[in-house]
C-alpha cells in the first residue's frame, strides 16, 4: 500500500534539516520502500518540510519507517502525517 508522509519542519529548523540531510537521503535510498520523495518549499524557495511516498505492507510499517528516519530522530518535524494514498497517475 502507498502511504504519503507529510512532515512539516519546526520553525527555524533549516539548519537541523541541512545537518541531517545526507543521512536522511541515504536512509531514503537504502530502505527500498520509497517510491518518491522530496522537500516541501516555502515562499522563498527554502526547504520547510518533506513529502515521502512509501510503498509498504501496512500503516505500522510506515510508522516504523517514519520513526527511524534521521530527520525524525533529529527532532526536525513539528508535525508528521501518515496518510493512505491511492496512486492514479504515474
Amino acid at each position: 500500500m502507498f502511504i504519503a508522509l507529510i512532515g512539516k519542519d519546526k520553525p527555524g529548523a533549516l539548519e537541523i534539516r541541512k545537518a541531517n540531510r545526507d543521512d536522511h537521503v541515504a536512509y531514503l535510498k537504502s530502505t527500498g520502500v520509497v517510491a518518491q520523495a522530496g522537500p516541501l518549499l516555502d515562499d522563498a524557495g527554502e526547504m520547510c518540510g518533506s513529502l515521502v511516498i512509501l510503498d509498504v505492507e501496512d500503516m505500522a510499517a510506515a510508522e516504523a519507517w517514519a520513526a527511524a528516519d534521521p530527520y525524525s530522530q533529529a527532532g526536525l518535524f513539528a508535525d508528521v502525517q501518515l496518510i493512505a494514498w491511492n496512486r492514479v497517475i504515474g
Side-chain angles (χ1 to χ4, degrees):
M1 80 184 297
F2 289 110
I3 304 290
L5 179 153
I6 301 169
K8 296 181 183 176
D9 295 1
K10 292 177 181 174
L14 183 58
E15 291 308 313
I16 294 171
R17 174 175 281 277
K18 288 179 179 179
N20 291 278
R21 184 168 170 77
D22 289 345
D23 289 341
H24 168 72
V25 171
Y27 180 68
L28 293 174
K29 292 177 180 180
S30 71
T31 60
V33 298
V34 178
Q36 295 184 4
L40 302 175
L41 305 176
D42 65 16
D43 291 340
E46 293 288 344
M47 296 178 288
C48 65
S50 296
L51 171 61
V52 181
I53 305 297
L54 301 169
D55 186 359
V56 292
E57 184 67 28
D58 54 26
M59 186 60 77
E63 291 168 351
W65 188 96
D69 179 1
Y71 278 171
S72 179
Q73 303 257 318
L76 174 64
F77 297 125
D79 179 61
V80 175
Q81 294 180 311
L82 292 167
I83 304 166
W85 180 67
N86 180 37
R87 178 170 53 188
V88 175
I89 299 173

Coordinates of all heavy atoms in Angstrom, one line a residue:
M1 N 0.8 -1.2 0.0 CA 0.0 0.0 0.0 C 0.9 1.2 0.0 O 2.0 1.2 0.5 CB -1.0 0.0 1.2 CG -0.4 0.4 2.5 SD -1.5 0.3 4.0 CE -2.8 1.4 3.6
F2 N 0.4 2.3 -0.6 CA 1.1 3.5 -0.6 C 0.6 4.4 0.6 O -0.5 4.5 0.9 CB 0.9 4.3 -1.9 CG 1.5 3.7 -3.1 CD1 0.7 3.1 -4.1 CD2 2.9 3.7 -3.2 CE1 1.3 2.6 -5.2 CE2 3.5 3.2 -4.4 CZ 2.7 2.6 -5.3
I3 N 1.6 5.0 1.2 CA 1.4 5.9 2.4 C 2.2 7.2 2.1 O 3.4 7.2 1.8 CB 1.9 5.3 3.7 CG1 1.3 4.0 4.0 CG2 1.7 6.3 4.8 CD1 -0.2 4.0 4.4
A4 N 1.5 8.3 2.1 CA 2.1 9.6 2.0 C 2.5 10.1 3.4 O 1.7 10.2 4.3 CB 1.2 10.6 1.3
L5 N 3.8 10.4 3.5 CA 4.3 11.0 4.7 C 4.5 12.5 4.4 O 5.2 12.9 3.5 CB 5.6 10.4 5.1 CG 6.3 11.0 6.4 CD1 7.2 10.0 7.0 CD2 7.1 12.3 6.1
I6 N 3.8 13.3 5.2 CA 4.0 14.8 5.1 C 4.5 15.3 6.4 O 3.8 15.2 7.4 CB 2.6 15.5 4.7 CG1 2.1 14.9 3.4 CG2 2.8 17.0 4.6 CD1 0.6 15.3 3.1
G7 N 5.7 15.8 6.4 CA 6.4 16.3 7.6 C 6.6 17.8 7.4 O 7.2 18.2 6.5
K8 N 6.2 18.5 8.4 CA 6.4 20.0 8.4 C 7.4 20.3 9.4 O 7.3 19.9 10.6 CB 5.1 20.7 8.6 CG 4.1 20.5 7.5 CD 2.8 21.2 7.8 CE 1.8 20.9 6.7 NZ 0.5 21.5 6.9
D9 N 8.5 21.0 9.0 CA 9.6 21.4 9.9 C 9.1 22.3 11.0 O 8.2 23.1 10.8 CB 10.7 22.0 9.1 CG 11.3 21.1 8.1 OD1 10.9 20.0 8.0 OD2 12.3 21.6 7.4
K10 N 9.8 22.2 12.1 CA 9.7 23.2 13.2 C 10.1 24.5 12.7 O 11.1 24.6 11.9 CB 10.5 22.8 14.4 CG 10.0 21.6 15.1 CD 10.9 21.2 16.3 CE 10.5 19.9 17.0 NZ 11.4 19.5 18.0
P11 N 9.5 25.6 13.1 CA 10.0 27.0 12.7 C 11.5 27.1 13.1 O 12.0 26.7 14.1 CB 9.2 27.9 13.5 CG 7.9 27.1 13.9 CD 8.4 25.7 14.0
G12 N 12.3 27.7 12.1 CA 13.7 28.0 12.3 C 14.6 26.8 12.3 O 15.7 26.8 12.8
A13 N 14.1 25.6 11.8 CA 14.9 24.4 11.8 C 15.6 24.1 10.6 O 16.1 22.9 10.4 CB 13.9 23.2 12.2
L14 N 15.8 25.0 9.7 CA 16.5 24.8 8.4 C 17.9 24.2 8.7 O 18.4 23.3 7.9 CB 16.6 26.0 7.6 CG 17.2 25.9 6.2 CD1 16.5 24.8 5.4 CD2 17.3 27.2 5.5
E15 N 18.6 24.7 9.7 CA 20.0 24.2 9.9 C 19.9 22.7 10.4 O 20.8 21.9 10.1 CB 20.7 25.0 10.9 CG 21.1 26.4 10.4 CD 21.8 26.4 9.0 OE1 22.8 25.6 8.9 OE2 21.4 27.1 8.1
I16 N 18.9 22.3 11.2 CA 18.8 20.9 11.6 C 18.6 20.1 10.3 O 19.2 19.0 10.2 CB 17.6 20.7 12.5 CG1 17.9 21.4 13.9 CG2 17.3 19.2 12.8 CD1 16.7 21.5 14.8
R17 N 17.7 20.5 9.4 CA 17.5 19.8 8.1 C 18.8 19.7 7.4 O 19.1 18.6 6.9 CB 16.4 20.6 7.3 CG 16.2 20.0 5.9 CD 15.1 20.7 5.2 NE 13.8 20.2 5.6 CZ 13.2 19.1 5.2 NH1 13.8 18.4 4.3 NH2 12.0 18.8 5.7
K18 N 19.5 20.7 7.2 CA 20.8 20.7 6.4 C 21.8 19.8 7.1 O 22.5 19.0 6.4 CB 21.3 22.1 6.2 CG 20.5 23.0 5.3 CD 21.2 24.3 5.2 CE 20.4 25.2 4.2 NZ 21.0 26.6 4.2
A19 N 21.9 19.8 8.4 CA 22.9 19.0 9.1 C 22.6 17.5 9.0 O 23.5 16.7 9.1 CB 22.9 19.4 10.5
N20 N 21.3 17.1 8.8 CA 20.9 15.7 8.7 C 20.5 15.2 7.3 O 20.1 14.1 7.2 CB 19.8 15.5 9.7 CG 20.2 15.6 11.1 OD1 20.8 14.7 11.7 ND2 20.0 16.8 11.7
R21 N 20.6 16.1 6.4 CA 20.2 15.8 5.0 C 20.9 14.6 4.4 O 20.2 13.7 3.8 CB 20.3 17.0 4.1 CG 19.7 16.8 2.7 CD 19.6 18.1 1.9 NE 19.3 17.9 0.6 CZ 18.1 17.6 0.1 NH1 17.1 17.4 0.9 NH2 17.9 17.5 -1.2
D22 N 22.2 14.5 4.5 CA 22.9 13.4 3.9 C 22.4 12.1 4.5 O 22.2 11.1 3.7 CB 24.4 13.6 4.0 CG 25.0 14.7 3.2 OD1 24.3 15.1 2.2 OD2 26.1 15.1 3.4
D23 N 22.3 12.0 5.8 CA 21.8 10.8 6.4 C 20.4 10.4 6.0 O 20.0 9.3 5.8 CB 21.9 10.9 8.0 CG 23.3 10.9 8.5 OD1 24.3 10.4 7.7 OD2 23.6 11.3 9.6
H24 N 19.6 11.5 5.9 CA 18.2 11.3 5.5 C 18.1 10.7 4.1 O 17.4 9.7 3.8 CB 17.4 12.6 5.6 CG 16.1 12.6 5.0 ND1 15.0 12.0 5.5 CD2 15.7 13.2 3.8 CE1 14.0 12.2 4.7 NE2 14.3 12.9 3.7
V25 N 18.8 11.3 3.2 CA 18.8 10.8 1.8 C 19.4 9.4 1.7 O 18.8 8.6 1.0 CB 19.6 11.8 0.9 CG1 19.8 11.3 -0.5 CG2 18.8 13.2 0.8
A26 N 20.4 9.1 2.4 CA 20.9 7.7 2.4 C 19.9 6.8 2.9 O 19.7 5.7 2.4 CB 22.2 7.7 3.3
Y27 N 19.1 7.2 4.0 CA 18.1 6.3 4.5 C 17.0 6.1 3.5 O 16.5 5.0 3.2 CB 17.5 7.0 5.8 CG 16.4 6.2 6.4 CD1 16.6 5.0 7.0 CD2 15.1 6.8 6.5 CE1 15.6 4.3 7.7 CE2 14.1 6.1 7.1 CZ 14.3 4.9 7.7 OH 13.3 4.2 8.3
L28 N 16.6 7.2 2.8 CA 15.6 7.1 1.7 C 16.0 6.0 0.7 O 15.2 5.2 0.2 CB 15.4 8.4 1.0 CG 14.8 9.6 1.7 CD1 14.8 10.8 0.9 CD2 13.4 9.3 2.1
K29 N 17.3 6.1 0.3 CA 17.8 5.2 -0.8 C 18.0 3.8 -0.3 O 17.8 2.8 -1.1 CB 19.1 5.7 -1.3 CG 18.9 7.0 -2.1 CD 20.2 7.6 -2.6 CE 20.1 8.9 -3.3 NZ 21.3 9.4 -3.8
S30 N 18.3 3.6 1.0 CA 18.7 2.3 1.5 C 17.5 1.4 1.9 O 17.6 0.1 2.0 CB 19.6 2.4 2.7 OG 18.9 2.9 3.8
T31 N 16.3 1.9 2.2 CA 15.3 1.1 2.8 C 14.5 0.3 1.8 O 13.8 -0.6 2.1 CB 14.3 2.0 3.6 OG1 13.7 3.0 2.7 CG2 15.0 2.7 4.8
G32 N 14.5 0.8 0.5 CA 13.8 0.0 -0.6 C 12.3 0.2 -0.6 O 11.6 -0.5 -1.3
V33 N 11.7 1.1 0.2 CA 10.3 1.3 0.2 C 9.8 2.7 -0.2 O 8.7 3.0 -0.2 CB 9.7 1.0 1.6 CG1 9.9 -0.5 2.0 CG2 10.2 1.9 2.7
V34 N 10.8 3.5 -0.6 CA 10.4 4.9 -1.0 C 10.2 5.0 -2.5 O 11.0 4.7 -3.3 CB 11.6 5.9 -0.6 CG1 11.2 7.3 -1.1 CG2 11.8 5.9 0.9
A35 N 8.9 5.3 -2.9 CA 8.5 5.4 -4.3 C 8.9 6.8 -4.8 O 9.3 6.9 -6.0 CB 7.0 5.1 -4.4
Q36 N 8.7 7.8 -4.0 CA 9.0 9.2 -4.4 C 9.3 10.0 -3.2 O 8.8 9.6 -2.1 CB 7.8 9.8 -5.2 CG 7.5 9.2 -6.5 CD 6.4 10.0 -7.2 OE1 6.0 11.0 -6.8 NE2 6.0 9.4 -8.4
A37 N 10.1 11.0 -3.3 CA 10.4 11.9 -2.1 C 10.9 13.2 -2.6 O 11.6 13.3 -3.6 CB 11.4 11.2 -1.2
G38 N 10.7 14.2 -1.7 CA 11.3 15.5 -2.0 C 10.9 16.5 -0.9 O 9.9 16.2 -0.2
P39 N 11.6 17.6 -0.8 CA 11.3 18.6 0.2 C 10.1 19.5 -0.2 O 9.9 19.7 -1.4 CB 12.6 19.4 0.3 CG 13.2 19.3 -1.1 CD 12.9 17.9 -1.6
L40 N 9.4 19.9 0.8 CA 8.4 21.0 0.6 C 9.2 22.3 0.7 O 10.2 22.4 1.4 CB 7.4 20.9 1.7 CG 6.6 19.6 1.8 CD1 5.6 19.6 3.0 CD2 5.8 19.3 0.5
L41 N 8.7 23.3 0.0 CA 9.4 24.6 -0.1 C 8.5 25.7 0.4 O 7.3 25.7 0.1 CB 9.8 24.9 -1.5 CG 10.7 23.8 -2.2 CD1 11.0 24.2 -3.7 CD2 12.0 23.6 -1.4
D42 N 9.1 26.7 1.1 CA 8.3 27.9 1.5 C 8.3 28.9 0.3 O 8.8 28.6 -0.8 CB 8.9 28.4 2.8 CG 10.3 29.0 2.7 OD1 10.8 29.2 1.6 OD2 10.9 29.2 3.8
D43 N 7.7 30.1 0.6 CA 7.6 31.1 -0.4 C 9.0 31.6 -0.9 O 9.1 32.1 -2.0 CB 6.8 32.3 0.1 CG 5.3 31.9 0.3 OD1 4.9 30.9 -0.3 OD2 4.7 32.6 1.1
A44 N 10.0 31.5 -0.1 CA 11.4 31.9 -0.5 C 12.1 30.8 -1.2 O 13.3 31.0 -1.6 CB 12.1 32.4 0.7
G45 N 11.5 29.6 -1.4 CA 12.2 28.5 -2.0 C 13.1 27.7 -1.1 O 13.8 26.8 -1.6
E46 N 13.0 28.0 0.2 CA 13.8 27.2 1.2 C 13.0 25.9 1.6 O 11.8 26.0 1.7 CB 14.1 28.1 2.4 CG 15.0 29.2 2.2 CD 16.4 28.9 1.9 OE1 16.8 27.7 2.2 OE2 17.1 29.7 1.4
M47 N 13.7 24.9 1.9 CA 13.1 23.6 2.4 C 12.5 23.9 3.7 O 13.0 24.5 4.6 CB 14.2 22.6 2.5 CG 14.8 22.2 1.2 SD 16.1 20.9 1.4 CE 17.4 21.9 2.2
C48 N 11.2 23.4 3.8 CA 10.5 23.6 5.1 C 9.7 22.4 5.5 O 8.9 22.4 6.5 CB 9.5 24.8 4.9 SG 8.2 24.5 3.7
G49 N 9.9 21.3 4.8 CA 9.1 20.0 5.1 C 9.5 18.9 4.1 O 10.4 19.1 3.3
S50 N 8.8 17.8 4.3 CA 9.1 16.7 3.4 C 7.8 16.0 3.0 O 6.9 15.9 3.7 CB 9.9 15.6 4.2 OG 11.2 16.1 4.6
L51 N 7.9 15.5 1.7 CA 6.8 14.6 1.2 C 7.5 13.3 0.8 O 8.4 13.4 -0.1 CB 6.1 15.3 0.0 CG 5.1 14.4 -0.7 CD1 4.0 13.9 0.2 CD2 4.6 15.1 -1.9
V52 N 7.1 12.2 1.4 CA 7.7 10.9 1.0 C 6.5 10.0 0.7 O 5.6 9.9 1.6 CB 8.6 10.4 2.2 CG1 9.2 9.0 1.8 CG2 9.7 11.4 2.6
I53 N 6.6 9.3 -0.4 CA 5.6 8.3 -0.7 C 6.2 7.0 -0.5 O 7.2 6.6 -1.1 CB 5.1 8.4 -2.2 CG1 4.6 9.8 -2.5 CG2 4.1 7.3 -2.5 CD1 3.3 10.2 -1.7
L54 N 5.7 6.2 0.5 CA 6.2 4.9 0.9 C 5.3 3.8 0.3 O 4.1 4.0 0.2 CB 6.1 4.8 2.4 CG 6.9 5.8 3.2 CD1 6.6 5.7 4.7 CD2 8.4 5.6 3.0
D55 N 6.0 2.8 -0.2 CA 5.3 1.6 -0.7 C 5.6 0.5 0.4 O 6.6 -0.2 0.3 CB 5.8 1.2 -2.0 CG 5.0 0.1 -2.7 OD1 4.1 -0.5 -2.1 OD2 5.4 -0.3 -3.8
V56 N 4.6 0.3 1.3 CA 4.8 -0.6 2.5 C 3.7 -1.5 2.6 O 2.6 -1.4 2.0 CB 5.0 0.2 3.8 CG1 6.4 1.0 3.7 CG2 3.9 1.2 4.0
E57 N 3.8 -2.5 3.5 CA 2.8 -3.5 3.7 C 1.6 -2.9 4.4 O 0.5 -3.3 4.1 CB 3.4 -4.6 4.6 CG 2.5 -5.8 4.8 CD 2.2 -6.6 3.6 OE1 3.0 -6.6 2.7 OE2 1.1 -7.2 3.5
D58 N 1.8 -2.0 5.4 CA 0.7 -1.5 6.2 C 1.1 -0.3 6.9 O 2.3 0.2 6.8 CB 0.2 -2.6 7.2 CG 1.3 -3.1 8.1 OD1 2.3 -2.5 8.3 OD2 1.1 -4.3 8.5
M59 N 0.2 0.4 7.6 CA 0.4 1.6 8.3 C 1.5 1.4 9.4 O 2.3 2.3 9.6 CB -0.9 2.2 8.9 CG -0.7 3.5 9.5 SD -0.2 4.8 8.4 CE -1.7 5.2 7.5
A60 N 1.5 0.3 10.0 CA 2.5 0.0 11.1 C 3.9 0.1 10.5 O 4.8 0.6 11.1 CB 2.3 -1.3 11.7
A61 N 4.1 -0.4 9.3 CA 5.4 -0.4 8.6 C 5.8 1.1 8.3 O 6.9 1.5 8.4 CB 5.4 -1.2 7.3
A62 N 4.8 1.9 7.9 CA 5.0 3.3 7.6 C 5.4 4.0 8.9 O 6.3 4.9 8.9 CB 3.8 3.9 7.0
E63 N 4.7 3.7 10.0 CA 5.1 4.4 11.3 C 6.5 4.0 11.7 O 7.2 4.9 12.2 CB 4.0 3.9 12.3 CG 2.7 4.5 12.1 CD 1.6 3.9 12.9 OE1 1.8 2.9 13.6 OE2 0.4 4.4 12.9
A64 N 6.9 2.8 11.5 CA 8.2 2.3 11.9 C 9.2 3.0 11.0 O 10.3 3.5 11.5 CB 8.3 0.8 11.8
W65 N 9.0 3.1 9.7 CA 9.9 3.8 8.8 C 10.1 5.2 9.2 O 11.2 5.7 9.3 CB 9.4 3.7 7.4 CG 10.3 4.2 6.4 CD1 11.2 3.5 5.7 CD2 10.5 5.6 6.0 NE1 12.0 4.3 4.9 CE2 11.6 5.6 5.1 CE3 10.0 6.8 6.4 CZ2 12.0 6.8 4.5 CZ3 10.4 8.0 5.8 CH2 11.5 7.9 4.8
A66 N 8.9 5.9 9.5 CA 9.0 7.3 9.9 C 9.8 7.6 11.2 O 10.5 8.5 11.3 CB 7.6 7.9 10.0
A67 N 9.6 6.7 12.1 CA 10.3 6.8 13.4 C 11.8 6.7 13.3 O 12.6 7.3 14.0 CB 9.7 5.8 14.4
A68 N 12.2 5.9 12.3 CA 13.7 5.6 12.1 C 14.3 6.6 11.2 O 15.6 6.6 11.0 CB 13.9 4.2 11.6
D69 N 13.6 7.5 10.5 CA 14.1 8.5 9.6 C 15.0 9.4 10.4 O 14.7 9.9 11.5 CB 12.9 9.3 9.0 CG 13.4 10.4 8.1 OD1 14.6 10.6 7.8 OD2 12.4 11.0 7.5
P70 N 16.2 9.7 9.9 CA 17.1 10.6 10.6 C 16.6 12.0 10.9 O 16.9 12.6 11.9 CB 18.3 10.7 9.7 CG 18.4 9.3 9.0 CD 16.9 9.0 8.8
Y71 N 15.7 12.5 10.0 CA 15.0 13.7 10.3 C 14.2 13.7 11.5 O 14.2 14.5 12.4 CB 14.2 14.2 9.1 CG 14.9 14.9 8.0 CD1 14.3 15.1 6.8 CD2 16.2 15.3 8.1 CE1 14.9 15.8 5.7 CE2 16.9 15.9 7.0 CZ 16.2 16.2 5.8 OH 16.9 16.8 4.8
S72 N 13.4 12.6 11.6 CA 12.6 12.4 12.8 C 13.5 12.2 14.1 O 13.2 12.8 15.1 CB 11.7 11.1 12.6 OG 10.9 10.9 13.8
Q73 N 14.5 11.5 14.0 CA 15.4 11.2 15.1 C 16.1 12.5 15.6 O 16.4 12.7 16.7 CB 16.5 10.2 14.7 CG 15.9 8.9 14.2 CD 16.0 7.8 15.3 OE1 17.1 7.7 15.9 NE2 15.0 7.0 15.4
A74 N 16.3 13.5 14.6 CA 16.9 14.7 14.9 C 15.9 15.8 15.5 O 16.3 16.9 15.9 CB 17.6 15.3 13.7
G75 N 14.6 15.4 15.5 CA 13.6 16.3 16.0 C 13.3 17.4 15.1 O 12.9 18.5 15.5
L76 N 13.4 17.2 13.8 CA 13.2 18.3 12.8 C 11.7 18.7 12.7 O 11.4 19.8 12.5 CB 13.7 17.8 11.4 CG 13.4 18.7 10.2 CD1 14.1 20.0 10.4 CD2 13.8 18.0 8.9
F77 N 10.8 17.7 12.7 CA 9.4 18.0 12.4 C 8.6 18.5 13.5 O 8.6 17.9 14.7 CB 8.8 16.7 11.8 CG 9.4 16.2 10.6 CD1 9.9 14.9 10.5 CD2 9.5 17.0 9.5 CE1 10.5 14.4 9.3 CE2 10.1 16.5 8.3 CZ 10.6 15.2 8.2
A78 N 7.8 19.5 13.2 CA 6.7 19.9 14.2 C 5.5 19.1 14.1 O 4.8 18.9 15.0 CB 6.4 21.4 13.9
D79 N 5.3 18.5 12.9 CA 4.1 17.7 12.6 C 4.4 16.7 11.5 O 5.1 17.0 10.5 CB 3.0 18.6 12.2 CG 1.7 17.8 11.9 OD1 1.2 17.2 12.8 OD2 1.2 17.8 10.7
V80 N 4.0 15.5 11.7 CA 4.1 14.4 10.7 C 2.7 13.7 10.5 O 2.1 13.3 11.5 CB 5.2 13.3 11.1 CG1 5.2 12.2 10.1 CG2 6.5 14.0 11.2
Q81 N 2.3 13.7 9.3 CA 1.1 13.0 9.0 C 1.4 11.8 8.1 O 2.2 11.9 7.2 CB 0.1 13.9 8.2 CG -0.4 15.0 9.0 CD -1.4 15.8 8.3 OE1 -1.1 16.2 7.1 NE2 -2.5 16.1 8.8
L82 N 0.8 10.6 8.3 CA 0.9 9.5 7.5 C -0.5 9.2 7.0 O -1.4 8.9 7.8 CB 1.4 8.3 8.3 CG 2.9 8.4 8.7 CD1 3.2 7.3 9.8 CD2 3.8 8.3 7.5
I83 N -0.7 9.3 5.7 CA -2.0 9.2 5.1 C -2.0 8.1 4.0 O -1.1 8.2 3.1 CB -2.4 10.5 4.5 CG1 -2.3 11.6 5.5 CG2 -3.8 10.4 3.8 CD1 -2.4 13.0 5.0
A84 N -2.9 7.2 4.0 CA -3.0 6.2 2.9 C -3.3 7.0 1.6 O -4.0 7.9 1.6 CB -4.1 5.2 3.2
W85 N -2.6 6.5 0.5 CA -2.7 7.2 -0.7 C -2.9 6.3 -1.9 O -2.4 5.2 -1.9 CB -1.3 8.0 -1.0 CG -1.2 8.7 -2.2 CD1 -1.9 9.9 -2.6 CD2 -0.3 8.5 -3.3 NE1 -1.5 10.3 -3.8 CE2 -0.5 9.5 -4.3 CE3 0.6 7.5 -3.5 CZ2 0.2 9.6 -5.4 CZ3 1.4 7.6 -4.7 CH2 1.2 8.6 -5.7
N86 N -3.8 6.7 -2.8 CA -4.1 5.8 -4.0 C -3.5 6.5 -5.2 O -4.0 7.6 -5.6 CB -5.6 5.7 -4.1 CG -6.0 4.8 -5.3 OD1 -5.3 3.9 -5.6 ND2 -7.1 5.2 -6.0
R87 N -2.5 5.9 -5.8 CA -1.9 6.4 -7.0 C -2.8 6.2 -8.2 O -3.2 5.1 -8.5 CB -0.5 5.7 -7.3 CG 0.1 6.3 -8.5 CD 1.5 5.8 -8.7 NE 1.7 4.4 -8.6 CZ 2.9 3.8 -8.6 NH1 4.0 4.5 -8.7 NH2 3.0 2.5 -8.5
V88 N -3.1 7.3 -8.9 CA -4.0 7.2 -10.1 C -3.2 7.4 -11.3 O -3.4 6.8 -12.3 CB -5.1 8.3 -10.0 CG1 -6.0 8.3 -11.2 CG2 -6.0 8.0 -8.7
I89 N -2.2 8.3 -11.3 CA -1.4 8.6 -12.4 C 0.1 8.5 -12.0 O 0.5 8.9 -10.9 CB -1.6 10.1 -12.9 CG1 -3.0 10.2 -13.4 CG2 -0.6 10.4 -14.0 CD1 -3.4 11.6 -13.8
G90 N 0.9 7.9 -12.8 CA 2.3 7.8 -12.6 C 2.8 6.4 -12.2 O 2.3 5.5 -11.8

